[in-house]
């Protein structure tokens, strides 16, 4: 059985158990082992082992039954014991309730006895206190203060308590009978009050916080307590303003007082608030007045700068003071203090701002025109000017004499930057100094001034002057400066738009003034763009006019019908060379003057007009075979020039024109084949016929027959 027990291991696994049993049995190994495998012996071992297991199982079962019986017996005994304990606990709980009731009864009796004792003792104490007060009152009646409490300076606290009570009693006495004693008590009251304040002042100078706290606690019941606070506030500020920055000094002072005021006074938030009020209404107000009044009428620029700076520094100081405990509504308290200082300056701020901005803007513009020795001409307004503008927009004709601007655009980025800088500062001051309800309206007023001086007085004037300076399309050697105006105007528009978005929009974004500003901006830009479009169109006409003059002056009829067909040495005509040079120069100028899609739009328009000019120009001549070849070379050069436009439509037009010029040299038998080619198949037959008619041999019966 011991051997059987040894075979059990935790955790129990049946397969491993059988394996261990087999290996322990002689003859239970494999056939290749040291002992031969003996199945009979292994079977006998299994049978014996099973019997041993059965015997062990019976023995364990008997032991389990015995343990179960013992457990049941102990459970019954434990249950019986628990019941007995519950009964004992119930009895103890009843005794506890009885004891609690008894304790409550005794406590009630004790409280009642205490109330009775207090009822007896309180009148007794009051009587004793009244007796003492009567004794002290008699001394005042006799006119001689003998008590030690009045003669000993170290007992000033007790004397103050007594005199404060006597002072209250004296208030109730009739004046006719007790006028003299009332006067003596009042005099002593005043003397003690002065002594306490003097003691507080001395303690503050010595830096004795504990003594200051004691004296302040005594003075709390005196009428002169507020005077004690005033003395404290006054002495706190002695030597506090030694720097050049009064705002920084004030912040440091308040931080220092905030740390100690709670250790001295029972109401520190009230004392600190009174200190801050004193600083604002006396120190800061006098400083602000001194800084602003001296330049209020004489120097508007300095006045506005000082006002903005002082108001900003005051509000920053207020933000720092918000950290302190000043009572329930410290935000309103500080706002009222700031308003009390600046109200007289903020009431008419926007009038000063707009007046200064107008005069400053006008001065900037006038100084610029004076530097150019230019006298601004008046641009007419009203019915006649409007009629001229409508006629110019519809006919694109120059109305009035052309003005020679000598290449001056009358636009200056320096002027624009100065105007925008002044306006930016005005917006910043407006944001800071305007009441929130007035902010959108004030910002709009500043914006209208910017529009008036930047957009109308400067940009619009430059556009009008530039339009007047554009020569007529038939002028010779005309200098075209309007594209320079376009270039600078585009740059200025970007700066104007940036300031609109960066500085005006945040001030009006949540008000009805937003739509009004956007509409005004839209109208201004549309008006400017209309004048720019008109000027560009007239400039393009002038460019085409210049090309016409070059072609008329340089192109000869003999270029395309030379007298000696065999002695033509040039690759293209002189007129072509000069026109291409002129066009390339103008294309480069247009690209430098504009940006974005505007470049493509203007170049396409110029390219179309350039093509029309060359097309009509070629229609004026008769071409021999060699002259036709030269015309093809010219058009090829024009086409090369058109590539610089980088506009597919323009290049296509010149490709088609080049194909048309082939009709001038192709053999008569191949005319129909060429006309039906890819580039010419979609053209009108009249156009094809018009080019064929330009051939010198057109009237020959053979050519006419082939083209008919």
């Amino acid at each position: 059985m011991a051997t059987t027990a040894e075979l059990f291991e935790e955790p129990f696994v049946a397969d491993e158990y059988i394996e261990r049993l087999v290996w322990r049995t002689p003859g239970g190994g494999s056939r290749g082992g040291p002992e031969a495998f003996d199945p009979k012996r292994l079977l006998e071992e299994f049978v014996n082992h099973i019997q041993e297991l059965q015997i062990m199982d019976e023995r364990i079962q008997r032991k389990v039954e015995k343990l179960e019986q013992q457990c049941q017996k102990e459970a019954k005994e434990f249950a019986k014991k628990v019941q007995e304990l519950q009964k004992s606990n119930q009895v103890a709980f009843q005794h506890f309730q009885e004891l609690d009731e008894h304790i409550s009864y005794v406590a009630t009796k004790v409280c009642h006895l205490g109330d009775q004792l207090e009822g007896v003792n309180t009148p007794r104490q009051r009587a004793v206190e009244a007796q003492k007060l009567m004794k002290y009152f008699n001394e005042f009646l006799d006119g001689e203060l003998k008590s030690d409490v009045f003669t000993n300076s170290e007992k000033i606290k007790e004397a103050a308590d007594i005199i404060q009570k006597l002072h209250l009693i004296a208030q109730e006495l009739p004046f006719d009978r007790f006028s003299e004693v009332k006067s003596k008590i009042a005099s002593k009251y005043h003397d003690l009050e002065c002594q306490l304040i003097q003691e507080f002042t001395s303690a503050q100078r010595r830096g004795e916080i504990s003594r200051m706290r004691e004296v302040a606690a005594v003075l709390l019941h005196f009428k002169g307590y507020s005077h004690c606070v005033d003395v404290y506030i006054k002495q706190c500020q002695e030597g506090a303003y030694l720097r050049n920055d009064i705002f920084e000094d004030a912040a440091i002072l308040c931080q220092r007082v905030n740390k100690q005021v709670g250790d001295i006074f029972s109401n520190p938030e009230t004392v600190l608030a009174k200190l801050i009020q004193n600083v604002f209404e006396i120190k800061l107000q006098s400083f602000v007045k001194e800084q602003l009044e001296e330049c209020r009428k004489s120097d508007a620029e300095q006045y506005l700068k000082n006002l903005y700076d002082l108001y900003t520094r005051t509000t920053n100081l207020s933000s720092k003071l918000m950290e302190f405990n000043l009572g329930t509504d410290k935000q309103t308290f500080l706002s009222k203090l700031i308003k009390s200082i600046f109200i007289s300056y903020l009431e008419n701020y926007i009038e000063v701002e707009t007046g200064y901005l107008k005069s400053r803007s006008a001065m900037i513009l006038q100084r610029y025109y004076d530097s150019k020795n230019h006298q601004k001409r008046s641009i007419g307004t009203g019915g006649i000017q409007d009629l001229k503008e409508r006629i110019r927009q519809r006919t694109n004709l120059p109305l009035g004499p052309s003005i020679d601007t000598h290449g001056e655009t009358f636009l200056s980025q320096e002027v624009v930057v100065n105007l925008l800088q002044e306006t930016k500062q005005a917006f910043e001051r407006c944001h800071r100094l305007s009441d929130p309800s007035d902010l959108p309206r004030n910002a709009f007023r500043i914006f209208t001034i910017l529009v008036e001086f930047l957009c109308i007085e400067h940009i619009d004037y430059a556009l009008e002057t530039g339009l007047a300076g554009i020569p007529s399309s038939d002028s010779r050697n005309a200098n075209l400066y309007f594209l320079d105006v376009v270039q600078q105007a585009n740059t200025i528009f970007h700066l104007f738009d940036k300031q609109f978005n960066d500085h005006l929009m945040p001030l009006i974004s949540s008000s009805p003034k937003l739509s009004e500003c956007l509409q005004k901006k839209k109208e201004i830009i549309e008006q400017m763009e209309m004048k720019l479009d008109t000027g560009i169109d007239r400039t393009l006409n002038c460019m085409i006019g210049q090309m016409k003059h070059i072609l008329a002056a340089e192109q000869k009829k003999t270029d395309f019908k030379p007298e000696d067909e065999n002695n033509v040495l040039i690759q293209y005509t002189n007129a072509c060379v000069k026109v291409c040079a002129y066009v390339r120069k103008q294309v480069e100028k247009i690209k430098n003057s504009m940006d974005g899609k505007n470049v493509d739009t203007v170049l396409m328009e110029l390219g179309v007009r350039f093509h029309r000019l060359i097309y009509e120009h070629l229609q004026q001549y008769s071409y021999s075979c060699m002259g036709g070849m030269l015309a093809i070379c010219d058009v090829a050069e024009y086409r090369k020039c058109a590539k610089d436009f980088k506009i597919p439509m323009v290049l296509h037009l010149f490709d088609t024109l080049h194909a048309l010029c082939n009709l001038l040299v192709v053999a008569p038998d191949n005319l129909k084949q060429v006309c039906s080619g890819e580039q010419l198949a979609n053209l009108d037959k009249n156009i094809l016929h018009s080019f064929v008619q330009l051939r010198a041999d057109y009237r020959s019966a053979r050519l006419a027959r082939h083209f008919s």
Side-chain angles (χ1 to χ4, degrees):
M1 293 301 292
T3 303
T4 301
E6 291 175 359
L7 294 175
F8 289 97
E9 291 182 1
E10 292 296 336
F12 178 77
V13 179
D15 292 342
E16 293 181 0
Y17 176 78
I18 297 297
E19 189 69 23
R20 287 194 297 273
L21 177 61
V22 170
W23 282 104
R24 290 171 64 95
T25 303
S30 63
R31 294 182 184 273
E35 295 184 14
F37 177 71
D38 188 353
K40 291 182 178 181
R41 191 172 180 180
L42 186 61
L43 177 61
E44 290 176 0
E45 182 65 25
F46 278 174
V47 171
N48 293 333
H49 196 74
I50 290 171
Q51 290 176 355
E52 290 178 3
L53 289 174
Q54 288 175 345
I55 294 171
M56 183 184 294
D57 180 60
E58 292 173 357
R59 187 179 297 169
I60 292 172
Q61 188 64 34
R62 285 195 298 271
K63 189 175 182 179
V64 168
E65 290 175 355
K66 183 178 180 181
L67 290 173
E68 286 179 348
Q69 292 174 358
Q70 184 178 353
C71 182
Q72 290 175 357
K73 181 180 179 181
E74 290 180 358
K76 290 179 181 179
E77 292 176 356
F78 181 75
K80 184 177 179 182
K81 190 174 182 180
V82 169
Q83 288 178 353
E84 292 175 355
L85 289 173
Q86 286 178 342
K87 290 179 181 178
S88 300
N89 182 58
Q90 190 173 3
V91 172
F93 183 73
Q94 290 176 352
H95 290 169
F96 175 77
Q97 283 184 326
E98 293 174 1
L99 181 61
D100 185 55
E101 291 174 358
H102 187 65
I103 290 172
S104 298
Y105 175 76
V106 172
T108 303
K109 288 291 185 180
V110 170
C111 290
H112 179 65
L113 181 60
D115 292 339
Q116 289 180 332
L117 291 173
E118 185 178 359
V120 174
N121 187 55
T122 301
R124 177 178 174 279
Q125 287 180 340
R126 289 177 180 172
V128 171
E129 187 175 347
Q131 184 183 14
K132 289 181 179 180
L133 289 175
M134 291 173 64
K135 174 187 173 185
Y136 298 134
F137 188 79
N138 285 333
E139 291 185 12
F140 279 98
L141 280 174
D142 297 339
E144 186 177 356
L145 301 178
K146 300 177 181 179
S147 299
D148 182 57
V149 72
F150 292 123
T151 58
N152 190 348
S153 59
E154 294 181 359
K155 295 186 177 182
I156 189 172
K157 183 177 179 181
E158 292 82 351
D161 181 58
I162 294 169
I163 200 66
Q164 195 267 338
K165 292 176 181 178
L166 289 175
H167 183 71
L168 291 176
I169 294 171
Q171 301 296 320
E172 304 296 328
L173 299 176
F175 182 77
D176 52 350
R177 293 178 56 191
F178 298 96
S179 59
E180 185 177 352
V181 70
K182 288 178 71 173
S183 175
K184 292 179 180 179
I185 292 174
S187 176
K188 188 63 177 177
Y189 179 92
H190 179 70
D191 291 343
L192 277 174
E193 190 176 63
C194 291
Q195 290 180 32
L196 288 169
I197 292 174
Q198 184 61 40
E199 178 63 22
F200 182 88
T201 304
S202 301
Q204 184 176 2
R205 287 175 178 166
R206 294 191 303 269
E208 297 177 359
I209 301 298
S210 58
R211 183 58 178 163
M212 291 170 66
R213 179 171 58 250
E214 293 175 5
V215 176
V218 175
L219 277 169
L220 182 62
H221 304 291
F222 280 75
K223 293 180 180 179
Y225 178 73
S226 61
H227 185 57
C228 171
V229 174
D230 293 339
V231 168
Y232 174 75
I233 290 173
K234 181 180 179 181
Q235 287 202 169
C236 283
Q237 297 183 71
E238 291 180 359
Y241 305 101
L242 299 177
R243 301 175 182 82
N244 293 328
D245 189 348
I246 189 174
F247 296 94
E248 185 64 25
D249 288 336
I252 293 173
L253 169 65
C254 293
Q255 288 173 353
R256 176 168 56 83
V257 171
N258 180 62
K259 292 178 181 178
Q260 68 173 208
V261 70
D263 297 332
I264 300 172
F265 297 98
S266 59
N267 53 342
E269 65 280 355
T270 305
V271 177
L272 185 58
K274 194 169 184 180
L275 169 66
I276 293 173
Q277 183 177 0
N278 183 275
V279 170
F280 271 74
E281 292 181 351
I282 297 177
K283 279 290 180 182
L284 293 185
Q285 188 160 15
S286 61
F287 179 76
V288 168
K289 185 176 181 181
E290 178 185 350
Q291 294 292 313
L292 294 179
E293 290 297 333
E294 61 182 1
C295 59
R296 187 172 189 175
K297 296 180 180 179
S298 58
D299 189 346
E301 179 182 10
Q302 192 61 44
Y303 170 76
L304 289 170
K305 287 181 179 179
N306 289 352
L307 178 60
Y308 175 77
D309 178 63
L310 292 170
Y311 190 84
T312 301
R313 293 166 71 187
T314 306
T315 52
N316 290 341
L317 174 61
S318 174
S319 299
K320 293 178 181 178
L321 299 180
M322 283 289 291
E323 302 173 1
F324 306 143
N325 181 15
L326 304 176
T328 54
D329 196 358
K330 52 186 174 183
Q331 178 70 51
T332 304
F333 170 70
L334 292 171
S335 298
K336 287 182 178 179
L337 291 178
I338 295 174
K339 187 176 181 180
S340 67
I341 295 176
F342 291 97
I343 186 169
S344 61
Y345 306 107
L346 298 181
E347 285 176 342
N348 65 337
Y349 150 72
I350 193 61
E351 304 301 331
V352 179
E353 184 71 80
T354 53
Y356 164 72
L357 188 58
K358 286 180 180 179
S359 62
R360 178 67 177 171
S361 300
M363 185 194 74
I364 291 172
L365 289 178
Q366 189 58 48
R367 188 168 56 193
Y368 168 71
Y369 294 122
D370 289 344
S371 69
K372 299 293 182 181
N373 293 322
H374 175 73
Q375 180 66 39
K376 281 188 72 174
R377 62 189 186 91
S378 60
I379 299 174
T381 56
I384 296 177
Q385 180 65 20
D386 293 341
L387 177 61
K388 284 184 177 182
E389 186 63 30
R390 286 197 296 271
I391 294 173
R392 183 168 64 186
Q393 292 172 11
R394 296 194 179 193
T395 64
N396 199 26
L397 295 174
L399 301 178
S402 176
I403 298 176
D404 188 1
T405 60
H406 303 288
E408 181 59 59
T409 62
F410 292 108
L411 285 174
S412 168
Q413 286 198 28
E414 181 182 355
V415 169
V416 172
V417 169
N418 288 338
L419 290 174
L420 292 176
Q421 182 64 22
E422 292 292 341
T423 311
K424 174 187 173 183
Q425 293 174 357
F427 280 135
E428 290 174 349
R429 288 193 291 263
C430 177
H431 188 199
R432 175 70 70 176
L433 301 176
S434 295
D435 187 88
S437 60
D438 298 330
L439 178 57
R441 182 168 59 254
N442 292 346
F444 179 73
R445 290 181 64 178
I446 294 173
F447 174 65
T448 56
I449 295 173
L450 176 64
V451 169
E452 176 185 355
F453 286 93
L454 176 62
C455 299
I456 297 176
E457 292 295 329
H458 191 55
I459 304 176
D460 190 67
Y461 176 77
L463 292 179
E464 287 289 346
T465 305
L467 286 172
I470 299 175
S472 62
S473 58
D474 56 354
S475 300
R476 294 176 179 271
N477 300 319
N479 291 320
L480 303 177
Y481 298 112
F482 192 78
L483 290 180
D484 296 331
V485 177
V486 174
Q487 178 185 9
Q488 294 185 0
N490 279 334
T491 303
I492 294 171
F493 280 149
H494 290 313
L495 295 174
F496 172 74
D497 191 57
K498 187 176 188 306
Q499 181 162 98
F500 183 91
N501 294 326
D502 292 349
H503 297 98
L504 178 61
M505 284 291 288
L507 307 184
I508 60 171
S509 57
S510 58
S511 76
K513 286 293 180 182
L514 174 61
S515 59
E516 196 172 344
C517 288
L518 291 173
Q519 181 62 30
K520 191 172 187 66
K521 175 188 170 187
K522 180 183 177 183
E523 291 173 357
I524 288 294
I525 291 178
E526 287 178 351
Q527 179 183 347
M528 302 288 181
E529 288 179 345
M530 191 178 298
K531 292 183 179 181
L532 287 171
D533 291 344
T534 302
I536 291 170
D537 191 62
R538 288 171 54 190
T539 300
L540 295 181
N541 284 342
C542 287
M543 292 179 183
I544 299 301
Q546 290 293 104
M547 297 181 209
K548 284 183 179 180
H549 287 306
I550 294 173
L551 291 172
E554 300 295 333
Q555 198 82 73
K556 300 179 178 61
K557 289 186 178 182
T558 56
D559 288 343
F560 302 117
K561 200 173 182 182
E563 296 177 358
D564 186 357
E565 290 281 331
N566 298 320
N567 193 23
V568 178
L569 302 177
I570 59 175
Q571 294 181 350
Y572 28 76
T573 64
N574 190 44
C576 173
V577 173
K578 291 190 175 182
V579 167
C580 287
Y582 179 80
V583 170
R584 288 191 175 96
K585 182 179 178 182
Q586 302 310 315
V587 168
E588 188 65 26
K589 197 168 187 179
I590 289 172
K591 289 181 178 180
N592 293 334
S593 302
M594 301 178 194
D595 55 11
K597 295 182 179 179
N598 294 331
V599 177
D600 294 342
T601 303
V602 174
L603 286 179
M604 185 170 71
E605 183 63 28
L606 176 62
V608 171
R609 297 186 190 187
F610 176 37
H611 169 267
R612 187 185 305 120
L613 171 67
I614 300 302
Y615 177 86
E616 293 174 353
H617 175 69
L618 293 174
Q619 294 280 333
Q620 300 174 13
Y621 298 93
S622 177
Y623 300 87
S624 65
C625 182
M626 187 55 66
M629 291 298 296
L630 195 58
I632 290 174
C633 291
D634 277 4
V635 173
E637 191 65 21
Y638 292 138
R639 183 175 61 177
K640 189 184 298 182
C641 183
K643 287 183 179 179
D644 295 341
F645 286 59
K646 297 182 180 179
I647 305 296
M649 178 182 173
V650 174
L651 186 59
H652 174 71
L653 290 174
F654 278 93
D655 286 341
T656 305
L657 182 59
H658 187 268
L660 282 171
C661 289
N662 287 330
L663 297 177
L664 300 175
V665 297
V666 71
D669 295 339
N670 297 330
L671 272 175
K672 286 189 177 180
Q673 181 182 353
V674 173
C675 289
S676 60
E678 182 180 353
Q679 289 184 318
L680 301 179
N682 296 325
L683 291 181
D684 188 89
K685 285 188 176 183
N686 292 328
I687 296 175
L688 301 176
H689 191 225
S690 65
F691 259 81
V692 174
Q693 285 179 328
L694 299 177
R695 294 171 61 126
D697 59 353
Y698 173 72
R699 299 199 176 275
S700 68
R702 185 182 173 203
L703 183 60
R705 185 175 63 254
H706 276 85
F707 196 74
S708 62

